[in-house]
Amino acid sequence: HVQLVESGGGSAQPGGSLRLSCVAAGDTYLVNGVGWFRQGPGKEREGVAVIYTGTYDPGRTSYADSVKGRFTISQDAAKNTVFLQMDSLTLEDTAQYYCAAGWLRYYSDEGAVFKERSAFNYWGQGTQVTVSS
């Protein structure tokens, strides 16, 4: 089993920045990728970013079109931690953000990994991000 704990959520103004952290513990060898998902008020949960953490192509990333150029996912492998740096925040980024992990396949289509929702076996409890002026 893998436990995921998110932190770093909070409030920011439009144009501001926040950084989320996700620490993994337990049987981390069971996963080769970690992603961030979010669910805004009245919206469905959507994928935001993924980073592959396994031995094959480590550091490979995928982003949703809505956050490309603004969000950056990265990892500190030694600390089993994945970060989501969020810059140029907009009101539409307001959501509960979830860290998720699993054994993911590799896709040529960058957005395809987010559709493989069933592969994300482990989820954190979520952290709230609120962007308001």
Side-chain angles (χ1 to χ4, degrees), residues 17-30:
S17 299
L18 286 172
R19 188 174 84 154
L20 306 183
S21 299
C22 174
V23 179
D27 301 320
T28 56
Y29 62 88
L30 294 175

Side-chain angles (χ1 to χ4, degrees), residues 9-63:
S11 299
Q13 293 185 334
S17 299
L18 286 172
R19 188 174 84 154
L20 306 183
S21 299
C22 174
V23 179
D27 301 320
T28 56
Y29 62 88
L30 294 175
V31 305
N32 72 337
V34 178
W36 288 95
F37 290 76
R38 68 184 182 185
Q39 187 164 14
K43 298 180 180 179
E44 294 185 354
R45 190 171 297 188
E46 62 174 352
V48 174
V50 163
I51 187 166
Y52 287 84
T53 58
T55 56
Y56 178 75
D57 206 4
R60 175 176 174 173
T61 58
S62 294
Y63 295 93

Side-chain angles (χ1 to χ4, degrees), residues 67-86:
V67 305
K68 280 182 181 178
R70 301 189 299 120
F71 290 11
T72 303
I73 189 170
S74 62
Q75 66 167 327
D76 183 336
K79 297 182 179 180
N80 285 332
T81 302
V82 170
F83 304 98
L84 184 68
Q85 177 67 40
M86 305 185 294

